[in-house]
Amino acid sequence: MDADEDVAPAVRSILDAADARDAPESGRVAVDPRSLDAAFAAAEADGRAPVIAEVKPTSPTTDGTRTEDPVELARAMVDGGAAALSVLTEPEHFGGSPEYLQSVRDAVDVPVLRKDFLLEESQLDAVEADVVLLIARFVGDDLADLLAAARDRGFQVLVEVHTREELERAIDAGAEFVGVNNRDLAKLEVDLSTFETVAEHAPDDVTLIAESGVSTPDDARRMRRAGADALLVGSAIMDYEDADDPTAAVQANTERLTAAESQTHDND
Ligand SMILES: O=C(O)c1ccccc1NCC(=O)[C@H](O)[C@H](O)COP(=O)(O)O
């Protein structure tokens, strides 16, 4: 691993925990994945903004922990029009688990992204998912090998970048799905202009996903105008702590963002 020396203490702690995690005892996984590109195309054909809705019980920048059943939340996201789902499997800082992901994937028919901080090949085998995340900053020179190892198992791979230099490394490694994270993991600050400045350098044949900080339909349209093929949204969809009915709130939050494309004015 390289380039992690400047990260926020919370991220340092996440990486230390990932380093310390035992290799899964299960054997090597072999995945028959649900196509992410097809899911995005189906959403667009239906007039929905392609949204990957994230089941994120907590995080270093979230107050408290959402304890509702991840499967119920995931179903509400799909009912709200999510093209795909992301499920945190990191246990110590995000309240996730591979078991949650497996239950969610069994319950829905959209592609499911495994959101975690994968540093080693063996960690790919913790659970089947349609897509796995590799964060360019954290895997450093191992990116191409991990990408190949993930594809050998059948996974689609989302390579996350935050800078133009990381984008170039992702492209050189052969990434087909690139997520530009608007959250700077050095400071945990979110700035939507990150996607705008990095995405313009991406080749046309890459599927580009705007990650983090998308809170309103206006934000969604802004990212789409800047070239996002899809949006990865966690906090704004999981924002239901004051709601009487959490699953209804999650569905409504998802609908608000997936409907962004069909609105001409912002009515956030
Ligand atoms: O979300 C965090 O606080 C966080 C902190 C440290 C490292 C990663 C973090 N988030 C991971 C993510 O990629 C986001 O959950 C995802 O992009 C959704 O972001 P948002 O819509 O802003 O919740």
Side-chain angles (χ1 to χ4, degrees), residues 214-227:
V214 176
S215 301
T216 67
D218 222 17
D219 294 340
R221 286 189 287 273
R222 177 174 166 188
M223 295 294 97
R224 293 280 280 161
R225 276 198 302 275

Side-chain angles (χ1 to χ4, degrees), residues 68-262:
E68 281 68 22
D69 177 8
V71 170
E72 292 309 309
L73 297 176
R75 286 200 175 108
M77 291 168 183
V78 173
D79 289 346
L85 299 177
S86 165
V87 179
L88 263 302
T89 56
E90 202 280 350
E92 294 172 40
H93 303 78
F94 292 85
S97 76
E99 292 74 25
Y100 282 170
L101 186 145
Q102 187 168 345
S103 312
V104 166
R105 189 164 182 258
D106 288 346
V108 300
D109 57 8
V110 300
V112 180
L113 163 70
R114 178 178 173 202
K115 200 71 189 306
D116 209 326
F117 297 79
L118 303 178
L119 304 174
E120 302 196 2
E121 178 172 348
S122 64
Q123 295 169 336
L124 292 166
D125 295 319
V127 65
E128 290 186 20
D130 302 289
V131 195
V132 288
L133 180 78
L134 295 176
I135 302 177
R137 176 175 194 147
F138 299 147
V139 300
D141 293 340
D142 295 335
L143 179 58
D145 286 347
L146 284 171
L147 193 62
R151 285 183 180 149
D152 277 353
R153 288 163 168 80
F155 293 112
Q156 298 160 100
V157 182
L158 174 60
V159 179
E160 178 178 301
V161 305
H162 181 68
T163 64
R164 185 173 172 186
E165 182 271 326
E166 289 172 4
L167 172 68
E168 280 163 12
R169 281 204 289 121
I171 302 305
D172 288 349
E176 294 168 341
F177 297 92
V178 172
V180 179
N181 197 347
N182 290 311
R183 181 173 284 109
D184 177 358
L185 297 183
K187 303 180 186 135
L188 296 187
E189 288 167 1
V190 173
D191 180 352
L192 293 185
S193 68
T194 305
F195 182 85
E196 292 166 326
T197 48
V198 174
E200 64 178 333
H201 301 289
D204 288 343
D205 58 353
V206 163
T207 299
L208 271 180
I209 297 167
E211 297 180 19
S212 304
V214 176
S215 301
T216 67
D218 222 17
D219 294 340
R221 286 189 287 273
R222 177 174 166 188
M223 295 294 97
R224 293 280 280 161
R225 276 198 302 275
D229 295 297
L231 316 162
L232 172 63
V233 185
S235 310
I237 287 177
M238 292 292 287
D239 179 13
Y240 61 78
E241 57 275 25
D242 297 327
D244 294 334
D245 183 343
T247 50
V250 163
Q251 182 172 338
N253 291 342
T254 311
E255 273 166 4
R256 202 161 129 264
L257 292 169
T258 57
E261 220 113 303
S262 53

